Amino acid sequence: MLPFLDLKAINAQYRDELLDAITRVLDSGWYIQGAELKAFEEEFSDYCGSKFCIGVANGLDALTLTLRAWKEQGKLKEGDEVIVPANTYIASILAITENGLTPVLVEPSETTYNLCPKNIESAITPKTRVILPVHLYGQLADMQAIIDIAERHHLLVLEDAAQAHGASRNGCKAGNWGDAAGFSFYPGKNLGALGDAGAITTDDEELANLLHALRNYGSHEKYTFKYQGINSRLDELQAAILRVKLHHLEKEITARRRVAKTYLSGINNPKIQLPRVCNPLELSSDHVWHLFVIRSTHRNDLQKHLWKNNIQTLVHYPIPAHKQQAYPHWEQNHLPLTDKIHQEVLSLPISPIIEINELEKIIYHCNSF
């Protein structure tokens, strides 16, 4: 079976470096909030182009804590509305409701699947306080248009950059567009840890200082607690591992772009809709291709066809947020485009180490369907 993503093989490339990093942490005797975390925060903020990076336990906490910090600062209050794409992963929604805020689900762009600026405008009410664009599949949302809308309406912008490490538009990377951004380093991400991990980037020093406390039980100083915080700390081991992986990220992104280019030029089945990119002439040098997502009205049959030919695919995501049991009051929401997308999308294998013969096999069986 050709796997969707072979993490063991991906990480094996850096085995010696990873073992050195793990040994360095083991021998240091310091495992929480030490030198590795500080170094990673500096390196990742520099990579993104932001002034500050705050390591946290996972991507969900990155979003949740940022919204919580804005509440502490008086910028948000219970019941305020947050505009978010309806086709996002549940974590984007959970971060909002966990803070007593109200998600406003809007339809995405049908071409990029990212938050549609026109739909943002029509969803704004007197209670709107935040826009939460999600950079799905590795391509940035139309951030300049979103920033323009936010400035006109005096709204905060929180990027969900969990799938977009290194993605950019007009030379500006994910994590450096909004007032803050949340990243996930879940193992399957382009920049993946060997466990759960996350981070927040921002240029706001006051926000960064507050987040440092909120992630650490609400404390800046040991045994002194200014806020009712939580325990959400990116540990030394994962920070050291991420430092290794960050060093190789651009090389892996380049490899992913080659895979995407091969798919885009090779798949020609009229039953399959290929992903669209912002700059098709360049095959989007800004897209980092976390996922290669096709669409088909025959999605389930296509997936079975590929499986029978020993090709594993995944669906990101089979059930939209408004149809989840966690939010039963949304069941009647009229979101036809979101429903259609979730019924049709299929993610093909993509990784920096996939072989050309494997790509040729996938393309052949896509075209033979």
Side-chain angles (χ1 to χ4, degrees):
M1 178 65 69
L2 198 164
F4 177 76
L5 185 66
D6 189 346
L7 287 177
K8 183 178 178 179
I10 290 172
N11 289 319
Q13 303 173 98
Y14 316 122
R15 181 181 178 85
D16 291 343
E17 291 178 78
L18 291 169
L19 288 174
D20 285 346
I22 291 167
T23 301
R24 189 171 66 241
V25 174
L26 179 64
D27 292 346
S28 75
W30 193 296
Y31 308 122
I32 298 288
Q33 295 198 133
E36 296 292 342
L37 175 60
K38 186 175 187 297
F40 173 72
E41 288 174 335
E42 291 172 354
E43 291 163 8
F44 191 65
S45 62
D46 182 64
Y47 176 78
C48 294
S50 61
K51 291 182 180 178
F52 306 101
C53 171
I54 305 93
V56 294
N58 53 68
L60 173 57
D61 282 0
L63 298 175
T64 304
L65 284 172
T66 303
L67 294 170
R68 165 72 187 284
W70 283 337
K71 287 181 72 178
E72 291 282 353
Q73 291 178 321
K75 295 179 180 180
L76 299 177
K77 65 181 185 303
E78 297 270 329
D80 282 345
E81 294 177 351
V82 180
I83 291 175
V84 63
N87 60 318
T88 187
Y89 183 57
I90 196 72
S92 311
I93 312 295
L94 292 171
I96 298 168
T97 56
E98 176 66 19
N99 280 286
L101 305 170
T102 303
V104 176
L105 307 181
V106 301
E107 296 271 52
S109 162
E110 188 165 11
T111 56
T112 66
Y113 312 119
N114 281 326
L115 196 53
C116 176
K118 183 175 70 173
N119 292 342
I120 294 173
E121 291 271 19
S122 61
I124 292 173
T125 75
K127 297 186 72 176
T128 306
R129 294 293 178 270
V130 182
I131 303 173
L132 202 162
V134 182
H135 306 314
L136 273 180
Y137 311 149
Q139 181 168 217
L140 262 64
D142 188 351
M143 289 307 298
Q144 190 57 65
I146 291 170
I147 295 299
D148 290 344
I149 293 169
E151 289 178 349
R152 284 200 307 274
H153 295 276
H154 308 289
L155 305 176
L156 295 162
V157 176
L158 173 56
E159 298 172 69
D160 183 337
Q163 300 184 11
H165 319 75
S168 65
R169 271 203 178 200
N170 302 324
C172 184
K173 284 183 177 169
N176 199 29
W177 280 93
D179 297 282
F183 287 87
S184 167
F185 305 122
Y186 182 78
K189 304 297 185 185
N190 288 18
L191 178 58
L194 300 187
D196 262 327
I200 302 156
T201 56
T202 185
D203 285 345
D204 186 335
E205 185 172 9
E206 181 183 347
L207 176 64
N209 288 336
L210 176 53
L211 287 165
H212 277 115
L214 289 177
R215 75 172 179 188
N216 187 37
Y217 298 99
S219 172
H220 284 298
E221 182 182 350
K222 195 169 185 179
Y223 301 132
T224 302
F225 304 96
K226 187 175 181 180
Y227 311 99
Q228 296 177 27
I230 65 171
N231 177 11
S232 181
R233 300 176 297 204
L234 174 56
D235 66 66
E236 287 289 281
L237 192 61
Q238 298 301 340
I241 289 164
L242 286 167
R243 292 183 68 197
V244 172
K245 301 288 285 292
L246 180 59
H247 180 69
H248 298 283
L249 180 57
E250 284 299 313
K251 178 190 71 176
E252 292 204 352
I253 289 172
T254 299
R256 286 175 174 274
R257 287 173 177 153
R258 285 198 296 266
V259 174
K261 184 176 181 179
T262 304
Y263 277 145
L264 290 169
S265 62
I267 298 173
N268 54 28
N269 189 328
K271 293 185 176 69
I272 295 173
Q273 179 179 318
L274 295 171
R276 301 185 195 179
V277 295
C278 298
N279 186 357
L281 294 178
E282 298 294 332
L283 289 178
S284 190
S285 60
D286 296 340
H287 198 317
V288 296
W289 297 102
H290 170 58
L291 297 172
F292 190 92
V293 180
I294 60 175
R295 279 175 61 187
S296 176
T297 54
H298 309 278
R299 190 265 309 280
N300 294 342
D301 289 336
L302 173 59
Q303 187 173 36
K304 290 175 184 176
H305 168 74
L306 293 173
W307 180 263
K308 286 178 182 178
N309 287 284
N310 296 310
I311 298 167
Q312 182 186 26
T313 60
L314 295 178
V315 176
H316 296 89
Y317 306 99
I319 305 173
H322 68 281
K323 296 291 179 65
Q324 297 286 351
Q325 293 182 33
Y327 297 102
H329 55 290
W330 287 344
E331 189 176 352
Q332 301 306 315
N333 279 22
H334 184 63
L335 296 162
L337 176 56
T338 294
D339 287 334
K340 182 177 174 63
I341 288 170
H342 284 262
Q343 291 162 8
E344 296 180 359
V345 291
L346 184 68
S347 299
L348 299 182
I350 185 168
S351 86
I353 62 167
I354 194 168
E355 300 286 347
I356 186 63
N357 63 305
E358 294 173 322
L359 287 176
E360 289 171 349
K361 174 181 177 178
I362 296 165
I363 291 168
Y364 173 82
H365 288 294
C366 282
N367 288 338
S368 69
F369 172 67

